[in-house]
Amino acid sequence: MRAKRKQKLFVILGLVSLAAIAVGLTLYALRSNINLFFSPVQISAGDAPLERQIRAGGMVREGTVARDPDSLEVVFTVTDYVEDVEVRYSGILPDLFREGQGVVVVGELQQGGWLRADQVLARHDENYMPPEVAQALEEAGYSPEDYQAKAAEVGKRLEAQQDGAGQN
């Protein structure tokens, strides 16, 4: 092989190597920003990584929202009607957050199997369900109509309780 051709080969190999290293470093850096969606069934099965940011979603189980009166701490349960995951959140919840509604929670799964939430996202109207939550519930054997009807039923029951408490 001639010297000129050998030099071109080394330059091309060097450029390809540098490009491969750059792509590898970029993918490694982006890896920490990816937060995948997991349903309560997947979390209970151990599919979700511990102490790494994930998104979890489902319905807020009725009767599980507990607020600390002295702080902004809230504990509630997210369910897909097969498995449940306890969520602990410190902050102001969205206005549309309530029992029986679909939510997506962004946070880290802890060793005890509970989720420390950094962000709670609630649906924006009575017909909307986050696509990930709808898919997870469908995999659990529920149709979107089932949980929309259940959410409406829970909403009516909660409104009736609030009306009854307001009249006393």
Side-chain angles (χ1 to χ4, degrees), residues 17-166:
S17 298
L18 287 174
I21 290 170
V23 168
L25 289 173
T26 302
L27 291 175
Y28 181 75
L30 291 176
R31 188 175 137 247
S32 64
N33 292 333
I34 294 173
N35 54 5
L36 301 173
F37 180 83
F38 293 94
S39 69
V41 167
Q42 293 170 317
I43 292 171
S44 296
D47 295 341
L50 292 176
E51 298 179 4
R52 186 154 171 246
Q53 192 164 50
I54 62 169
R55 289 183 304 145
M59 306 296 279
V60 178
R61 185 171 287 283
E62 187 176 357
T64 63
V65 178
R67 299 172 194 264
D68 183 356
D70 298 328
S71 68
L72 294 176
E73 297 285 328
V74 179
V75 177
F76 58 93
T77 301
V78 173
T79 185
D80 59 3
Y81 301 115
V82 176
E83 294 288 341
D84 296 345
V85 173
E86 181 180 303
V87 177
R88 299 177 188 172
Y89 177 67
S90 181
I92 299 172
L93 289 168
D95 291 337
L96 297 173
F97 176 88
R98 66 177 195 235
E99 296 174 353
Q101 300 299 321
V103 294
V104 173
V105 179
V106 179
E108 293 180 2
L109 185 62
Q110 302 299 309
Q111 290 291 340
W114 57 276
L115 195 72
R116 187 187 78 228
D118 299 322
Q119 190 176 20
V120 176
L121 307 169
R123 63 189 188 93
H124 58 78
D125 72 16
E126 68 272 359
N127 297 320
Y128 177 74
M129 168 93 30
E132 297 98 340
V133 174
Q135 181 181 356
L137 291 172
E138 283 176 10
E139 289 172 0
Y142 292 88
S143 71
E145 294 77 25
D146 291 339
Y147 31 83
Q148 284 177 349
K150 186 163 183 69
E153 173 188 320
V154 170
K156 287 178 186 175
R157 200 169 333 134
L158 291 174
E159 287 175 15
Q161 287 175 356
Q162 289 173 352
D163 289 344

